[in-house]
Amino acid sequence: MEYYLAVDIGASSGRHIISYLQDGKMVLEEVHRFPNGMVDKNGHKVWDSKQLFNEILAGMKKCKELGKIPTSMGIDTWAVDFALLDKDGQLIGDTVGYRDGRTQGMDEEVYKIISQEKLYERTGIQKQMFNTIYQLMAVKKQNPQALEDAETMLMIPDYFQYLLTGKKVTEYTNASTTQLVSPSTKDWDFELIDMLGYPRKIFTKIEKPGYELGELTKEIQEEVGYNCKVVLPATHDTGSAVIAVPSNSEDVLYISSGTWSLMGTELKEAICTKKSMNLNLTNEGGYDYRFRYLKNIMGLWMINSAKKEIADDMGFGEICDMASKTSIPSVVSANDARFLAPESMVKEVQKACHESGQQVPEGIAEVASVIYNSLAICYADTISEIEEITGKHYDCIHIVGGGSNAVYLNQLTAKACGRKVYTGPTEGTAIGNIAVQMIANKELKDLKDARECIFRSFEIKEYRP
């Protein structure tokens, strides 16, 4: 029996999932779960990278305890954040998180060098104030010594995989989110990097998902009690989730639903037009050099935050059910930057409703109802934009990831978008991670074979408009 380990770390939690093939179906077993979140340190919102790596090792040890030693493993996380390493491979400072305020005004610093339009033309990546390009400008302006001392920049999952193997590379799907990669060459845009004054030497070789990075170092082998290969999945969690969309249709529309909702389609060529830029659509790298043409939508971060504030003892299913029984008609602009990192999500939603003269929600049921309805409307608007740009019509929507369990939101999405909605698999990101490892180990032939296997293996639910 060949076992594969996916370490899937999201913004609020992480999990280790072991998988194997049985009778042509993928079987999953969660072996470890742990919390995650940004912490305030030295005036910044940072990730506790040391603790996260300890959790990675803890989950690997559990595989040994279960007698299920993986043939290979791979790590995926969120995008854009990075670690700077010195000449000895040691971390410089903290791993600052994307919700930190250090990038404020850094877009203008970048646009002094290259206009927003030219930047989009070169990279195809939507403007998000937390993109790596702006984070690096913040380091350059606020902490130049760190850039001077840096020998290497690794995206967060690449950093953890370096700690496991001693090998430094950057995986393609995550690299593309930096806004420093060319969609034509699929490599770093060194001309752009030089223009911005970032040191060339810190950018490591880009490798595709499926690349065998190497085996565990002797030290890690001794600690976890075994050796295995580390294979690069699509290390950007959305990249992995899109692999798990259980459809081989040429024209598939998906929502990877979790902390963020990433809504889009797969394209063979990037669309880097001004119109695409103005609609804030992005061309992120995908498996086998496909492009994930999508929009970042605030997603269930809003619900997660509201739950934490006023209903921490309740489950998401219960909140979803309560929201479905309210009749509050208010909606907010779900993608407004005001909801990115407010001091209080509940108060921000209430304030937005008050400012627009709508009924102000009270309590978790009404607040959740406003958020769910607002997300469904945002999805409908995004479909219109994607269809306008691509010239294609999409008959249905596939929702993968943890958010696919939100029954009320799925019903609202089908109704608002006027299309069938298919939901599942829930563990889309881990499944996509595992699929790449299985392809690399030749247990699955290719992406088409993997998606057919995923369709057979997991329950898919249907919602009608």
Side-chain angles (χ1 to χ4, degrees):
M1 182 78 72
E2 302 264 18
Y3 294 104
Y4 304 87
L5 174 62
V7 182
D8 170 29
I9 310 177
S12 55
S13 68
R15 61 208 61 78
H16 290 57
I17 292 180
I18 275 277
S19 181
Y20 55 93
L21 283 179
Q22 187 173 62
D23 301 326
K25 293 182 179 180
M26 233 184 242
V27 180
L28 303 182
E29 182 182 347
E30 185 179 297
V31 296
H32 185 53
R33 184 175 280 263
F34 53 93
N36 188 27
M38 295 178 206
V39 294
D40 292 315
K41 185 180 174 188
N42 299 325
H44 292 286
K45 290 187 183 301
V46 308
W47 302 105
D48 189 342
S49 53
K50 188 174 180 183
Q51 177 58 26
L52 285 174
F53 190 64
N54 286 338
E55 294 286 4
I56 290 169
L57 296 177
M60 291 172 70
K61 289 173 189 174
K62 285 189 181 176
C63 296
K64 173 73 185 286
E65 289 166 19
L66 291 166
K68 295 177 178 176
I69 293 172
T71 298
S72 67
M73 65 172 292
I75 302 171
D76 66 76
T77 76
W78 61 97
V80 305
D81 290 343
F82 56 88
L84 291 176
L85 307 181
D86 65 18
K87 60 181 177 13
D88 299 317
Q90 298 301 305
L91 190 62
I92 297 171
D94 299 312
T95 46
V96 179
Y98 60 85
R99 292 189 196 276
D100 185 69
R102 67 176 174 169
T103 55
Q104 194 172 344
M106 292 303 122
D107 52 343
E108 295 309 318
E109 294 297 328
V110 168
Y111 302 151
K112 285 176 187 174
I113 298 161
I114 180 170
S115 70
Q116 185 178 353
E117 197 173 320
K118 288 286 184 194
L119 183 60
Y120 188 85
E121 206 176 283
R122 286 184 85 115
T123 66
I125 297 297
Q126 73 182 130
K127 179 183 178 179
Q128 299 272 16
M129 276 308 297
F130 46 67
N131 286 352
T132 316
I133 189 173
Y134 306 117
Q135 291 200 45
L136 281 171
M137 186 57 76
V139 177
K140 182 183 168 188
K141 293 290 180 184
Q142 299 160 15
N143 188 11
Q145 191 62 47
L147 263 193
E148 207 170 297
D149 294 342
E151 197 68 30
T152 312
M153 179 190 83
L154 292 175
M155 307 306 283
I156 296 294
D158 298 320
Y159 171 58
F160 291 142
Q161 284 164 157
Y162 155 68
L163 293 178
L164 291 173
T165 64
K167 306 283 176 59
K168 299 174 189 170
V169 304
T170 307
E171 186 276 322
Y172 169 67
T173 66
N174 217 333
S176 72
T177 70
T178 62
Q179 214 171 352
L180 293 166
V181 167
S182 163
S184 305
T185 66
K186 313 327 190 255
D187 200 357
W188 299 113
D189 185 339
F190 281 112
E191 187 182 10
L192 173 61
I193 285 164
D194 290 343
M195 286 162 61
L196 294 164
Y198 305 155
R200 272 188 182 225
K201 67 177 180 179
I202 68 174
F203 297 92
T204 67
K205 190 178 180 194
I206 294 177
E207 297 287 1
K208 290 168 64 175
Y211 175 78
E212 189 178 312
L213 188 58
E215 297 185 338
L216 304 177
T217 65
K218 288 283 188 290
E219 294 79 10
I220 299 295
Q221 287 180 45
E222 285 169 16
E223 181 151 1
V224 301
Y226 59 87
N227 190 17
C228 71
K229 293 182 288 191
V230 175
V231 171
L232 298 185
T235 63
H236 181 196
D237 51 12
T238 311
S240 276
V242 170
I243 290 166
V245 171
S247 168
N248 277 311
S249 165
E250 283 274 312
D251 302 327
V252 66
L253 195 73
Y254 58 78
I255 301 173
S256 172
S257 181
T259 304
W260 289 90
S261 288
L262 296 306
M263 185 174 199
T265 188
E266 284 185 311
L267 299 176
K268 289 178 180 167
E269 300 291 333
I271 299 175
C272 303
T273 62
K274 186 174 181 180
K275 190 171 187 181
S276 177
M277 180 195 78
N278 288 338
L279 291 172
N280 217 19
L281 288 155
T282 198
N283 298 269
E284 293 176 354
Y287 184 77
D288 202 20
Y289 290 145
R290 293 159 182 250
F291 289 95
R292 293 175 285 127
Y293 189 60
L294 58 84
K295 178 171 276 194
N296 278 44
I297 298 167
M298 207 65 76
L300 297 179
W301 155 252
M302 296 175 76
I303 288 286
N304 296 350
S305 301
K307 174 186 181 300
K308 200 172 179 181
E309 283 177 47
I310 60 172
D312 211 16
D313 57 334
M314 296 174 76
F316 287 110
E318 188 182 355
I319 291 170
C320 214
D321 187 52
M322 287 171 65
S324 71
K325 292 168 182 165
T326 69
S327 56
I328 184 167
S330 309
V331 293
V332 297
S333 177
N335 237 17
D336 195 308
R338 70 193 295 170
F339 301 119
L340 182 63
E343 282 185 29
S344 164
M345 184 64 74
V346 172
K347 286 179 182 171
E348 202 63 41
V349 169
Q350 290 172 329
K351 190 176 167 192
C353 290
H354 177 71
E355 287 169 2
S356 55
Q358 300 180 88
Q359 182 182 334
V360 175
E362 298 294 340
I364 190 62
E366 289 191 350
V367 169
S369 182
V370 169
I371 291 170
Y372 285 135
N373 276 284
S374 302
L375 283 172
I377 289 167
C378 198
Y379 295 160
D381 291 343
T382 302
I383 285 183
S384 299
E385 293 167 358
I386 291 171
E387 288 190 336
E388 184 185 346
I389 294 280
T390 62
K392 294 178 178 180
H393 175 74
Y394 301 94
D395 293 326
C396 62
I397 304 164
H398 285 270
I399 302 179
V400 297
S404 66
N405 283 331
V407 173
Y408 181 47
L409 179 56
N410 298 334
Q411 291 167 342
L412 289 172
T413 301
K415 188 177 175 185
C417 299
R419 288 160 173 80
K420 283 183 192 172
V421 167
Y422 296 100
T423 64
T426 306
E427 290 287 1
T429 303
I431 291 165
N433 179 326
I434 288 157
V436 170
Q437 295 183 55
M438 287 182 171
I439 294 168
N441 201 39
K442 298 185 168 50
E443 274 218 81
L444 294 173
K445 289 199 288 278
D446 51 22
L447 182 61
K448 182 174 184 289
D449 190 29
R451 283 178 166 162
E452 286 169 1
C453 176
I454 291 163
F455 182 78
R456 287 194 304 271
S457 304
F458 303 100
E459 184 186 9
I460 310 297
K461 292 180 181 173
E462 180 182 323
Y463 297 82
R464 291 177 177 269

